[in-house]
Amino acid sequence: MTKTGMLIVTNPNRFVRCIPRIQREIKNTLYIQFLTKWQYSCLKNSSLNSTKLSGPLFSKTVLSLYRNSINMSNIDVRVLLSSIRNSNISTINTKKRVEVVYFDDVLNADEMQGFLKKCVTNRSSDCQTVSLGYQEDGSVEEKIESSGEVYDNVVLGGTFDRLHPGHKILLSEAVLRCSKKLTVGVTNTEMLKTKKLWELIESCATRMNNVRDFLEDVEPTLEYNIVAIGDMFGPTKDDPTFQLLVVSSETVRGGDKVNEVRKDKGLKPLIVHSVDLLLNPNLEDELEEDKISSSTDRIRLLGRLLRRPEAREDIPKWPYIIGMIGGTASGKSSVCKRLEALGAAHINCDLIGHNIYKKGTKVYDLVVRSFGTDILDDQQEISRKVLADIVFKDKEARVKLNKIMWPAILEKSKEVAMEYVKLGKKVVIMDAAVLLEAGWKKHCHEIWACIIPPEEAIIRLRERSGLTEEQAKSRIASQPSNSIQVENANLVFCTLWKPEYTQKQVERAWKELNERLELNPFK
């Protein structure tokens, strides 16, 4: 497959017909260059005249191109805007090197190569050209679709997590209505903690970089100011130079509040331009929103690889060890049981820890020597309750116990894993709440995590263990946060919803793991 392609569109209605072939051949990025019939003729014949176009006139064309690209979820589609805003542009510039150019028109090889050499500046030396037009296609007259003013200073804001077509339309609408400077406020992490699966949201720096990269790629001639914001107003409450605020149809009320604040400060109100939401045509589950949204995208990430595992040359290839992490009441044990039912071996490190210091073992002697005989019960076994009371109150005691227990648990877990290999098991789930703290990550091929909102974990913990709310909060707070779990994980589950959706995540993860490891086909 080719990484980067470009489609020259002269009739937007033809785009849908081009999609199947493009999806088969393009892996990463598709640039779309829309040209009016007049522009196209001028560029082909090198007779371009200086004519200023009004970007808003073609906003519906841009919207339709992105709307029709929704199903191309594996491709980063970018509609180039420079020639839409100003026809006095004789070249097409892109950040990424173009390897193939498709035309929706009927052209011969010489015509396509001539266009390529004259217009596409950043292309590979062996860039291919493909005509996707049909003789029966008639020409289409350009229609004035909508009207709108263009402003020197335009502003908009949002989360912009994993840019999707809805984000691209919103940003493109702002570009088409801007003549000089576009300011984009990107919400910081503190503003996001009420969002669904907020721990999976990209970092603020990443989102800001992605917004800048997109804008500078589709229209490099504007000035961009990308800023982090810590409230819903951002710079709109103070900057007197702003003229137009671009919002989505669901945040129009936010635009009204911005103008209320500006009025109180004696600033001129902003003109508010609303952009309709894109509907989600491919709902996969009732949990998903009926609009194209980052929340839905994050739900779809569950049970899928977030980041590829690093190559581990320092541990044996088999068994393939997956470290399973997650806080109390996160549903980690349930997920492990589901994976076990699908064919994985399961090592419960907590259970190993409970049994490893029984009387007569080396660990038993080390623990008694370190903590004294007061920790023994009537049968001369170590009392878990007495020992827990000691280490919970004394950090130094906890560190001392961990130095004894963790190496022993790890060693025993490896022994058990090798026994599973002899039984024909290739994938072993190492279920260990202390995995990160104990430094066992390096002993695993990859890490999977179970997360649950803290408020839900508190409810589950109280129902299960009879703890008070304060006790439950204290226990949750003593563990690594969901954010830390996600930062260290290659794949994430969330058991917040019905059991059937947990099963769906687990089956998805197991299927993709089998494909990655080239094991037996998933059944």
Side-chain angles (χ1 to χ4, degrees), residues 434-446:
V434 300
L435 188 145
L436 296 179
E437 190 179 358
W440 295 350
K441 187 176 177 180
K442 61 185 178 183
H443 298 282
C444 303
H445 293 91
E446 57 187 90

Side-chain angles (χ1 to χ4, degrees), residues 196 280 282-290 296 299-300 501 504:
K196 188 181 297 181
N280 179 3
N282 302 310
L283 288 171
E284 295 180 3
D285 192 274
E286 63 184 23
L287 301 176
E288 298 181 354
E289 298 180 328
D290 57 5
T296 292
I299 288 175
R300 292 180 180 181
Y501 193 70
K504 184 177 180 180

Side-chain angles (χ1 to χ4, degrees), residues 44 152 221 237 260 296 301 311 325 453 455-456 463 467 491 519 523:
K44 285 199 299 181
D152 287 346
T221 67
K237 62 181 179 291
E260 290 172 8
T296 292
L301 288 175
I325 59 177
E455 56 271 20
E456 175 65 19
E463 291 176 351
L467 301 178
L491 183 147
L519 300 176
K523 297 181 181 179

Side-chain angles (χ1 to χ4, degrees), residues 377-388:
D377 60 20
D378 294 341
Q379 284 73 43
Q380 297 300 294
E381 293 283 1
I382 295 173
S383 169
R384 288 175 53 197
K385 184 181 184 307
V386 173
L387 187 60

Side-chain angles (χ1 to χ4, degrees), residues 112-384:
M112 290 189 290
Q113 282 298 318
F115 184 96
L116 187 70
K117 292 176 181 178
K118 285 186 293 187
C119 302
V120 183
T121 58
N122 188 13
R123 64 183 188 274
S124 63
S125 59
D126 58 347
C127 184
Q128 304 296 306
T129 55
V130 179
S131 172
L132 299 178
Y134 291 83
Q135 290 292 347
E136 62 267 23
D137 283 342
S139 62
V140 175
E141 293 295 327
E142 283 78 42
K143 297 179 180 179
I144 301 301
E145 301 170 325
S146 61
S147 184
E149 296 293 325
V150 176
Y151 302 87
D152 287 346
N153 291 286
V154 177
V155 63
L156 76 159
T159 303
F160 301 108
D161 180 36
R162 296 177 175 85
L163 290 182
H164 56 61
H167 292 138
K168 294 174 182 178
I169 288 173
L170 194 68
L171 292 166
S172 297
E173 283 283 293
V175 168
L176 292 175
R177 286 166 170 74
C178 183
S179 59
K180 290 185 179 179
K181 182 178 180 181
L182 175 60
T183 298
V184 183
V186 179
T187 51
N188 65 19
T189 303
E190 289 305 310
M191 285 189 68
L192 305 177
K193 293 186 177 180
T194 59
K195 286 184 175 289
K196 188 181 297 181
L197 296 171
W198 71 267
E199 298 91 348
L200 296 180
I201 295 176
E202 297 170 313
S203 71
C204 185
T206 296
R207 289 180 281 120
M208 290 173 67
N209 288 337
N210 289 344
V211 168
R212 180 176 294 280
D213 175 76
F214 173 79
L215 290 172
E216 291 179 346
D217 205 5
V218 299
E219 171 51 295
T221 67
L222 287 177
E223 177 185 353
Y224 297 111
N225 182 31
I226 316 298
V227 298
I229 58 175
D231 58 53
M232 66 170 289
F233 302 105
T236 60
K237 62 181 179 291
D238 301 310
D239 196 319
T241 66
F242 292 150
Q243 299 163 294
L244 178 73
L245 172 64
V246 177
V247 299
S248 70
S249 56
E250 68 178 357
T251 58
V252 171
R253 179 57 187 141
D256 295 337
K257 290 182 179 180
V258 165
N259 280 332
E260 290 172 8
V261 172
R262 289 178 69 88
K263 181 180 179 181
D264 291 342
K265 294 192 172 188
L267 296 174
K268 188 176 179 180
L270 301 177
I271 297 168
V272 178
H273 174 68
S274 172
V275 179
D276 290 337
L277 297 171
L278 275 184
L279 294 180
N280 179 3
N282 302 310
L283 288 171
E284 295 180 3
D285 192 274
E286 63 184 23
L287 301 176
E288 298 181 354
E289 298 180 328
D290 57 5
K291 63 179 181 178
I292 297 294
S293 72
S294 295
S295 295
T296 292
D297 287 346
R298 289 193 294 277
I299 288 175
R300 292 180 180 181
L301 288 175
L302 297 172
R304 289 193 169 99
L305 209 58
L306 295 178
R307 52 185 69 89
R308 296 203 67 83
E310 298 178 4
R312 301 308 308 269
E313 304 293 340
D314 52 337
I315 58 178
K317 181 178 180 180
W318 305 111
Y320 194 84
I321 305 292
I322 295 175
M324 183 68 74
I325 59 177
T328 300
S330 66
K332 178 166 59 71
S333 298
S334 168
V335 168
C336 287
K337 288 179 182 178
R338 294 175 188 276
L339 287 166
E340 193 173 9
L342 290 171
H346 176 209
I347 297 176
N348 187 330
C349 292
D350 288 342
L351 188 58
I352 288 177
H354 295 162
N355 295 326
I356 205 167
Y357 54 44
K358 286 188 175 295
K359 187 168 59 176
T361 64
K362 180 181 177 181
V363 175
Y364 174 93
D365 294 336
L366 289 172
V367 172
V368 173
R369 193 179 307 147
S370 297
F371 291 91
T373 57
D374 289 343
I375 64 171
L376 301 178
D377 60 20
D378 294 341
Q379 284 73 43
Q380 297 300 294
E381 293 283 1
I382 295 173
S383 169
R384 288 175 53 197

